[in-house]
Amino acid sequence: MIRAVISLLILLTALPAGAEVTVRIFARTKPVTVVFTPRQGEYRLDPGGPGGLTVGPGETVAVTRYDDEVIFRTLSGISGVSDTLRFTPLSADALFTMRAPARAEAVKTLNGSLMISSYPGSLLVLNITELEDYLPGVVRAEAGRAGPPEYFKAQAVVARTYAYRTIDRHELDGFDLCDDTHCQVYPGIIGESVIINACRSTAGKVITDRQGVLIEAAFHGNCGGVTASSEDVWVAKHPYLVSITDPWCGYSASATWVKKVSLTDWYDFLRSGGVMPGEERALYSPAGSKPVRIMNRAVAGKNINSEEVRVRFGLRSALFTMRPEGDSLTFSGRGYGHGVGLCQDGARAMAEKNMSYEKITGFYYPGTVVTDVKIVRRPLRP
Ligand SMILES: [Zn+2]
Ligand SMILES: [Zn+2]
């Protein structure tokens, strides 16, 4: 089925350049009350009828869902009811913060404009901003705060490629991208200049395959010395998501790990796959053997999938050996994450050796090029 879907991707659409994006804010916790506070500059609050007002720093607007409408109330006591509230900045450098007081959400600083309406069970909080303004926050959330400039440039083109490729994912929901892991985590506007500069200096640059189509820009923390092919992990096959040997990431603390689980839990897991205790011995590795990324291990006529083992036991990667010791099973592994595509620890090391971001992305996505988004094509999602 997935293979059939992939073959449909040969249908292609042209991309808009300099895109504006509509991002759903607080998509994971879906609050019913949010608080808008201008941080810099003034905003026009338009409730979609009479009663618009100007809101500046020092003022605050609380917005609460009320059936299929929203109620707003300012700190100074002005209130109203509306279908859709619009906050429009009155200057180009305007910034505001959004809070969701009853939810475990960090305060977000945002730019652009804001639209708030009622949604089944929650508010729909939409931030309309430029894609290039959205990227630095995404890069910080996905790539961390430490690393040389070329590392962040590599992550910037990866995040931009990912965003353009998935920009119609929420078409039926009435926005472009959500701010959670489903799309890419967006914490809002950030201040780290190394990341902001990495995004600016690669503005509009994306990664494509040989046909000029945006790639599936997968990445992970640490590959443990060898990356995984997408075909092994997700079934979907791409010529640039193949297993490669990575000499760059072994320095990292994530490069090796050990985890013990109880034999009782392990046997429960095997039984759920139809393997009886005692039949699994072929899975165990001799002492001192190196971890290998074998996705499917055949035992007693059944199939043990390493990715399923990784998820079930919370392992850092699917690159491991296993040995029973007493009443526990010891996994000894390498790497962190699914192992497909760009290895972040390796990319950081390459950047420290003064390699360019194009060299880094070309190494982890073999056969791809960095090019301008204006001349690339996007796979049409079926
Ligand atoms: Zn999403
Ligand atoms: Zn690696």
Side-chain angles (χ1 to χ4, degrees), residues 220-227 246-250 342-347 364:
H220 59 277
N222 184 299
C223 74
V226 57
T227 68
D246 181 358
W248 298 105
C249 58
L342 181 137
C343 165
Q344 291 180 313
D345 283 342
Y364 288 108

Side-chain angles (χ1 to χ4, degrees), residues 246-262:
D246 181 358
W248 298 105
C249 58
Y251 71 93
S252 165
S254 299
T256 57
W257 54 264
V258 172
K259 178 147 188 189
K260 288 181 192 295
V261 304
S262 82

Side-chain angles (χ1 to χ4, degrees), residues 169-170 178 182-183:
R169 190 178 260 182
H170 288 286
C178 70
H182 171 261
C183 289

Side-chain angles (χ1 to χ4, degrees), residues 29-341:
T29 62
K30 301 179 175 58
V32 292
T33 297
V34 294
V35 178
F36 167 94
T37 309
R39 203 178 116 178
Q40 184 173 297
E42 294 184 317
Y43 289 79
R44 181 79 191 154
L45 193 173
D46 174 16
L53 58 145
T54 300
V55 190
E59 184 61 286
T60 277
V61 185
V63 182
T64 302
R65 178 173 177 269
Y66 182 74
D67 290 335
D68 54 1
E69 292 184 307
V70 294
I71 298 177
F72 69 90
R73 185 169 282 111
T74 70
L75 202 60
S76 49
I78 303 166
S79 62
V81 180
S82 168
D83 283 347
T84 303
L85 276 185
R86 283 187 173 75
F87 296 82
T88 310
L90 298 180
S91 60
D93 63 348
L95 292 171
F96 62 95
T97 61
M98 285 301 296
R99 287 184 289 131
R103 296 287 193 269
E105 290 273 8
V107 177
K108 283 182 199 273
T109 298
L110 300 166
N111 73 349
S113 58
L114 186 73
M115 267 171 54
I116 306 179
S117 56
S118 180
Y119 207 59
S122 70
L123 289 173
L124 181 64
V125 183
L126 302 180
N127 177 213
I128 300 108
T129 185
E130 295 292 323
L131 188 135
E132 294 294 341
D133 289 341
Y134 153 89
L135 283 175
V138 170
V139 169
R140 191 186 76 186
E142 305 282 352
R145 295 166 198 242
E150 292 300 308
Y151 166 67
F152 287 115
K153 289 183 200 169
Q155 288 280 173
V157 294
V158 163
R160 188 179 294 109
T161 303
Y162 194 94
Y164 273 111
R165 194 174 154 111
T166 56
I167 208 159
D168 57 357
R169 190 178 260 182
H170 288 286
E171 204 168 13
L172 299 178
D173 304 321
F175 53 96
D176 296 321
L177 301 163
C178 70
D179 68 348
D180 196 18
T181 50
H182 171 261
C183 289
Q184 296 188 90
V185 172
Y186 179 53
I189 300 291
I190 60 158
E192 283 85 349
S193 55
V194 64
I195 300 177
I196 294 165
N197 292 339
C199 292
R200 276 192 195 142
S201 64
T202 61
K205 294 275 196 297
V206 289
I207 312 170
T208 72
D209 65 12
R210 289 195 172 94
Q211 283 72 44
V213 179
L214 288 173
I215 68 161
E216 179 81 52
F219 61 91
H220 59 277
N222 184 299
C223 74
V226 57
T227 68
S229 79
S230 63
E231 189 179 17
D232 281 344
V233 180
W234 301 317
V235 183
K237 189 176 175 177
H238 297 289
Y240 51 82
L241 293 180
V242 289
S243 178
I244 59 162
T245 301
D246 181 358
W248 298 105
C249 58
Y251 71 93
S252 165
S254 299
T256 57
W257 54 264
V258 172
K259 178 147 188 189
K260 288 181 192 295
V261 304
S262 82
L263 278 180
T264 314
D265 287 352
W266 171 236
Y267 290 148
D268 284 349
F269 172 78
L270 289 174
R271 278 194 206 94
S272 68
V275 177
M276 292 301 121
E279 291 179 332
E280 84 292 359
R281 290 206 181 91
L283 294 173
Y284 301 145
S285 333
S289 57
K290 272 176 65 176
V292 277
R293 203 186 294 277
I294 302 170
M295 268 306 153
N296 291 299
R297 300 169 198 244
V299 57
K302 307 291 190 319
N303 184 37
I304 307 287
N305 180 275
S306 295
E307 191 63 17
E308 278 172 32
V309 175
R310 170 173 95 91
V311 172
R312 169 67 178 76
F313 295 104
L315 307 179
R316 291 171 70 92
S317 74
L319 177 61
F320 53 77
T321 62
M322 34 185 166
R323 282 169 55 75
E325 288 174 348
D327 58 1
S328 61
L329 181 74
T330 302
F331 292 95
S332 301
R334 296 180 62 82
Y336 186 39
H338 54 58
V340 181

